[in-house]
Amino acid sequence: MDQDIIKSLKGLFTMVVVLGVVVMVLLVGLVFLQQNPGVLVSKNEGEKENPPPLVTENLVKDGVHVATGLVAEKGYETVIANCTNCHAANLITQNRGNKEHWEKLIDWMQETQGLWDLGQNEEIIVDYLAAYYAPVQRGRRANLDEIEWYELEE
């Protein structure tokens, strides 16, 4: 009988300790939220601010924007201002596509990655990308010339 009472008291003590820990965690959380009310508030789509571009240097050498590697022709500054806010420029330079490809890629980024409406800049960006990062036609490799052939010896 005494063992049952002791066992019950241990269980009750454990419940009180656990409940005390839970209450302490909740109190600490409430104090934290009171001091940082913006922690749980998310920004609406319309309130998104465009972050500054990752690239700030503007040096062009041999027709290439040095900091990004982009071809420095009409529209590249718009591409830098809009595209390098979220990703490195080498995601552009390592890809190729026609106008439809770049439009689909922008649509995908807008639907899934939070890319904002580019407005009139979309046409500038797509035209630039389709012109300078278009698919490259590759044929067969050139024939080998000036090769010194030799006989295999067994």
Side-chain angles (χ1 to χ4, degrees):
M1 185 73 174
D2 289 337
Q3 291 293 338
D4 290 340
I5 293 174
I6 291 173
K7 200 173 185 177
S8 295
L9 288 175
K10 282 183 178 178
L12 182 63
F13 179 74
T14 303
M15 283 182 41
V16 168
V17 168
V18 169
L19 188 59
V21 169
V22 170
V23 169
M24 289 295 290
V25 168
L26 288 175
L27 287 174
V28 169
L30 287 174
V31 169
F32 177 77
L33 286 176
Q34 189 176 22
Q35 293 180 354
N36 303 297
V39 169
L40 297 179
V41 178
S42 65
K43 290 184 177 183
N44 292 334
E45 291 292 322
E47 295 177 355
K48 277 188 178 176
E49 294 179 20
N50 297 342
L54 300 174
V55 177
T56 56
E57 299 171 22
N58 224 4
L59 178 65
V60 174
K61 186 175 181 182
D62 298 329
V64 175
H65 184 250
V66 174
T68 61
L70 292 170
V71 175
E73 292 293 335
K74 181 182 175 189
Y76 86 98
E77 291 167 324
T78 306
V79 170
I80 290 172
N82 288 277
C83 301
T84 61
N85 280 319
C86 299
H87 59 75
N90 64 0
L91 279 178
I92 300 166
T93 59
Q94 69 188 9
N95 285 295
R96 300 279 172 183
N98 58 19
K99 200 169 187 173
E100 291 77 29
H101 168 79
W102 292 111
E103 287 171 344
K104 284 182 182 177
L105 197 56
I106 289 171
D107 290 344
W108 174 79
M109 286 187 279
Q110 288 173 332
E111 292 170 7
T112 63
Q113 306 298 309
L115 176 62
W116 54 89
D117 180 19
L118 296 171
Q120 296 175 345
N121 288 336
E122 184 168 339
E123 185 177 342
I124 296 168
I125 292 168
V126 169
D127 287 346
Y128 170 83
L129 295 173
Y132 299 104
Y133 298 97
V136 176
Q137 294 287 336
R138 293 189 179 148
R140 296 182 59 185
R141 66 170 172 75
N143 291 333
L144 299 175
D145 294 332
E146 301 176 16
I147 301 293
E148 288 186 35
W149 298 102
Y150 58 92
E151 294 287 328
L152 289 176
E153 296 177 11
E154 292 185 31

